[in-house]
Amino acid sequence: MLVARYPGRLKRSYYDIWYPALAPSEYLLRRWKKREVTWENFESEYRKEISQSDNAQRHLDTLREISRSITNPNPDFITLLSFEGERNPHCHRHILKKIIEER
């Protein structure tokens, strides 16, 4: 599942669902990239954006349903894609993973 604001050059065949509403706002992302906020502040603001977005909440509900679906071969496994390297600890996917696990 692609959780980036824009798909960029990522081929459509690489992801099943695209949820731009689960990506940080352009404003927050720009502030992070310019180092205007700490990672802790970024996480707090990102969580606030997600919690205040009805669209994001619907997507989270859908993710929960997919993960619990009997047709999902591994209900504990959902792949979240964005453009940061997977090992980069400063990627919103890690925060989103925690949000999903908390639901």
Side-chain angles (χ1 to χ4, degrees), residues 28-102:
L28 179 57
L29 197 54
R30 190 171 34 251
R31 290 178 57 220
W32 165 248
K33 288 184 177 197
K34 290 182 178 181
R35 303 294 187 239
E36 295 174 355
V37 294
T38 64
W39 182 247
E40 291 76 21
N41 290 106
F42 177 89
E43 179 171 357
S44 175
E45 291 184 38
Y46 174 63
R47 283 177 172 273
K48 186 176 178 182
E49 287 180 354
I50 294 294
S51 70
Q52 293 178 346
S53 167
D54 291 338
N55 199 17
Q57 293 302 308
R58 282 191 297 278
H59 292 327
L60 289 172
D61 290 342
T62 301
L63 286 176
R64 185 174 62 244
E65 289 174 26
I66 290 169
S67 71
R68 294 180 180 167
S69 169
I70 61 171
T71 60
N72 184 352
N74 186 349
D76 296 324
F77 187 78
I78 294 176
T79 302
L80 302 174
L81 300 172
S82 77
F83 297 103
E84 291 294 334
E86 187 169 338
R87 294 179 191 225
N88 181 350
H90 296 135
C91 178
H92 72 282
R93 286 175 303 159
H94 301 296
I95 302 168
L96 184 58
K97 179 180 183 280
K98 287 189 249 179
I99 291 170
I100 293 168
E101 291 172 344
E102 293 165 0

